[in-house]
Amino acid sequence: MKTTLFLSPPSFDGFDGGAGARYQAKREITSFWYPTWLAQPAALVPGSRLVDAPPHGQTVDDVLKIAKDYELVIMHTSTPSLANDVKCAEAIKQQNPNVQVGFVGAHVAVLPGETLQENPVIDFVCRNEFDYTCKELAEGKPWDEIKGLSYRDKLGNIHHTEERALIHDWDAMPSVLPVYARDLDISKYFIGYLQHPYISFYTGRGCPAKCSFCLWPQTIGGHLYRHKSPDAVGREMAEAKELFGDSVREYMFDDDTFTIDKHRAIAISQHLKRLNLTWSCNARANLDYDTLKTLRDNGLRLLLVGFESGNQQVLNNIKKGIKLEVAREFMKNCHKLGITVHGTFIIGLPIETKETVEETIRFACELSPHTIQVSIAAPYPGTELYDQARENGWFANESLVANSGIQTSTLQYPSLSSGEIEDAVEKMYRKFYFRPKAIIPIVREMLGDRQMLVRRLREGKEFFGYLNERRTQALAR
């Protein structure tokens, strides 16, 4: 077995999400997701180590001190961070030319040949679901016998082995939680809408929805939701309670659509109630009242919901599969039941106009979730949105994030420029949050919890700094 390091490399300045983040740009406030994509193969490789540099403030020098003891280094990358991550790989190789360095992630899964061709420092790329590919690399299996691998041979020639099948037996997948407990400091992970400390992880992968912009199902996870059984999740959560005790205030199930199978979600929630755990999850805006009530009664605190747009035609264009009236009814039920909702919205989807942007702003204010995130449509390679942008000439530029790490608009439309898309983000935040209906619940939250008071004051300062940075970026155009 090769000594193996799984590495989420140091971020570039301002890019607080880092390569392992689900949302691959600087957030409005300091935010760090857990590196589940790396933790899962790390759980399969005995004696391996997981280093998540961004939240722990680790520099390239810090990483080099750790990496010198390893034969195999597997790094998670993304489209915005690839160039930065390659520099880290070069430093690791310069220190030890014999170390094998490979990359995983959606970008390299879609563009394995191009990635290897353009970056000679990279020895291999793991495509698609790479967990068992990483395991076989660590075991020293010949590379030409490992499915799902693209690699460079000793003569510099690039080879691609046959595709690896998706993982279906998820009950056989070891828990990532012992890896978290061993290698990560959970106090370093913050998400604005989750209680602190929190833990996030997956109980399965894949999403039946066909949203044209969504990266993970189109590149790695697929459209079939494959998952652990409720009993297996129950055992995992019992283990979590033993590992972390009462130090974790909330568990976040980050499966793309944890609630797509309502009966499974309810069965899992019964285990969580028995364990007296507070939890949250991703959900689509179409859950019925009775299901919502049952989940709430079993410890559900918050739902993370992608509303995306307030214009039905835009939702149809991206194949969201949700009607505005259904989303309205869903939010009404959540308010009635006291379930907190963090709503996500996207500006710049096909084909956005000034009018549809205004509809989205009005829709968000009407729904009034507790908090929101406003993103810019990001056409990542491997997505249908990327192909549409190429075919229709929507690309304004190729950069998904600015040097500051703030997301930029790579798209433009006949009736909406990339600059207007970027400006709409700040406008939507200001219109949503500078309302009594948004401010009063947040103030109540602060008054009821001293930790939340201190935290919200810090986040408020960061949020206003983010808005000012966006304005400065707009003035510089």
Side-chain angles (χ1 to χ4, degrees):
M1 184 72 70
K2 293 180 182 292
T3 52
T4 305
L5 175 66
F6 292 93
L7 173 64
S8 180
S11 297
F12 56 85
D13 287 345
F15 192 70
D16 50 336
R22 188 176 179 80
Y23 177 68
Q24 298 165 116
K26 181 178 180 180
R27 288 184 185 264
E28 305 77 33
I29 57 175
T30 301
S31 303
F32 291 109
W33 285 101
Y34 282 81
T36 311
W37 288 104
L38 285 177
Q40 191 62 73
L44 286 165
V45 178
S48 64
R49 179 174 174 182
L50 171 61
V51 170
D52 189 16
H56 294 85
Q58 290 167 300
T59 65
V60 172
D61 286 342
D62 295 327
V63 167
L64 289 175
K65 290 173 185 174
I66 298 168
K68 65 182 175 60
D69 296 325
Y70 290 89
E71 301 167 275
L72 178 66
V73 176
I74 297 175
M75 300 170 61
H76 196 291
T77 193
S78 68
T79 301
S81 68
L82 178 63
N84 171 78
D85 302 338
V86 166
K87 290 178 183 176
C88 183
E90 288 172 343
I92 291 171
K93 275 277 196 180
Q94 188 173 13
Q95 174 179 261
N96 178 10
N98 295 320
V99 67
Q100 295 173 333
V101 177
F103 278 33
V104 298
H107 182 91
V108 298
V110 173
L111 302 169
E114 292 90 331
T115 302
L116 290 168
Q117 193 71 46
E118 295 168 6
N119 303 284
V121 70
I122 303 174
D123 296 309
F124 62 86
V125 161
C126 301
R127 306 190 307 273
N128 303 333
E129 273 193 323
F130 46 79
D131 310 87
Y132 285 100
T133 306
C134 294
K135 181 176 185 289
E136 291 174 7
L137 283 162
E139 289 170 343
K141 189 173 182 177
W143 286 7
D144 60 354
E145 298 177 15
I146 300 176
K147 293 180 180 179
L149 190 69
S150 297
Y151 65 92
R152 191 191 321 277
D153 66 22
K154 292 180 180 179
L155 298 176
N157 300 311
I158 295 172
H159 305 269
H160 307 279
T161 64
E162 67 177 283
E163 295 297 335
R164 180 177 291 276
L166 292 174
I167 299 164
H168 288 275
D169 185 6
W170 269 79
D171 280 7
M173 292 287 273
S175 171
V176 300
L177 299 176
V179 176
Y180 287 2
R182 182 192 70 201
D183 292 339
L184 307 178
D185 180 352
I186 66 170
S187 71
K188 302 291 187 183
Y189 293 85
F190 290 89
I191 293 293
Y193 48 86
L194 297 179
Q195 296 180 352
H196 182 74
Y198 83 98
I199 280 179
S200 66
F201 65 106
Y202 299 97
T203 66
R205 291 195 198 122
C207 177
K210 300 294 175 67
C211 302
S212 63
F213 62 89
C214 194
L215 179 64
W216 308 106
Q218 296 184 75
T219 57
I220 293 181
H223 291 290
L224 177 66
Y225 184 34
R226 300 150 292 115
H227 51 72
K228 295 185 177 183
S229 65
D231 286 346
V233 177
R235 290 191 294 273
E236 197 165 346
M237 298 314 297
E239 182 183 28
K241 195 157 187 179
E242 289 181 13
L243 285 168
F244 302 105
D246 296 326
S247 60
V248 175
R249 295 184 66 186
E250 180 165 21
Y251 289 89
M252 170 71 185
F253 297 104
D254 203 24
D255 307 38
D256 287 301
T257 42
F258 182 78
T259 59
I260 200 77
D261 181 341
K262 294 188 292 186
H263 299 294
R264 174 180 179 266
I266 288 170
I268 291 172
S269 74
Q270 290 167 344
H271 286 288
L272 300 171
K273 182 178 182 180
R274 173 177 54 81
L275 294 166
N276 195 29
L277 297 176
T278 299
W279 61 281
S280 299
C281 68
N282 289 310
R284 286 172 67 79
N286 60 0
L287 278 181
D288 61 272
Y289 180 89
D290 289 341
T291 301
L292 287 168
K293 184 177 184 302
T294 301
L295 297 178
R296 182 208 63 180
D297 292 345
N298 289 338
L300 172 68
R301 186 189 71 85
L302 174 143
L303 293 174
L304 171 55
V305 182
F307 295 104
E308 322 311 357
S309 175
N311 177 272
Q312 189 62 58
Q313 188 55 54
V314 170
L315 292 179
N316 295 344
N317 290 345
I318 61 171
K319 303 179 182 178
K320 183 65 182 177
I322 292 287
K323 298 292 184 184
L324 293 175
E325 286 308 314
V326 173
R328 287 186 172 100
E329 181 67 19
F330 165 84
M331 272 306 303
K332 187 170 76 174
N333 289 334
C334 286
H335 284 309
K336 190 183 299 182
L337 290 165
I339 296 172
T340 302
V341 173
H342 175 74
T344 63
F345 297 85
I346 302 175
I347 303 292
L349 293 166
I351 296 177
E352 195 87 81
T353 65
K354 291 178 183 177
E355 290 72 28
T356 61
V357 169
E358 290 298 327
E359 287 181 64
T360 296
I361 294 173
R362 288 196 298 271
F363 185 59
C365 292
E366 175 195 343
L367 295 181
S368 203
H370 186 56
T371 50
I372 64 169
Q373 175 187 313
V374 186
S375 303
I376 292 172
Y380 286 101
T383 64
E384 184 180 345
L385 178 59
Y386 182 88
D387 294 337
Q388 289 175 328
R390 281 264 177 250
E391 291 167 9
N392 292 282
W394 292 337
F395 274 104
N397 62 75
E398 296 286 341
S399 178
L400 290 163
V401 295
N403 291 334
S404 63
I406 287 180
Q407 196 182 22
T408 58
S409 177
T410 62
L411 301 180
Q412 61 183 0
Y413 302 107
S415 57
L416 201 67
S417 69
S418 57
E420 288 171 324
I421 290 171
E422 292 173 15
D423 292 343
V425 173
E426 181 194 347
K427 180 180 181 181
M428 184 165 176
Y429 273 129
R430 290 186 183 276
K431 288 235 178 168
F432 181 86
Y433 279 114
F434 296 174
R435 302 173 300 131
K437 199 171 181 180
I439 293 170
I440 290 171
I442 291 174
V443 171
R444 283 187 186 139
E445 184 182 49
M446 292 164 65
L447 294 176
D449 185 336
R450 176 162 178 77
Q451 185 208 63
M452 190 60 75
L453 171 66
V454 173
R455 181 179 167 190
R456 290 294 187 224
L457 289 173
R458 171 183 61 79
E459 292 172 346
K461 182 179 178 182
E462 291 176 349
F463 179 70
F464 283 108
Y466 171 86
L467 293 182
N468 289 335
E469 200 168 357
R470 271 217 166 275
R471 179 156 293 184
T472 301
Q473 187 171 295
L475 293 172
R477 284 199 300 266

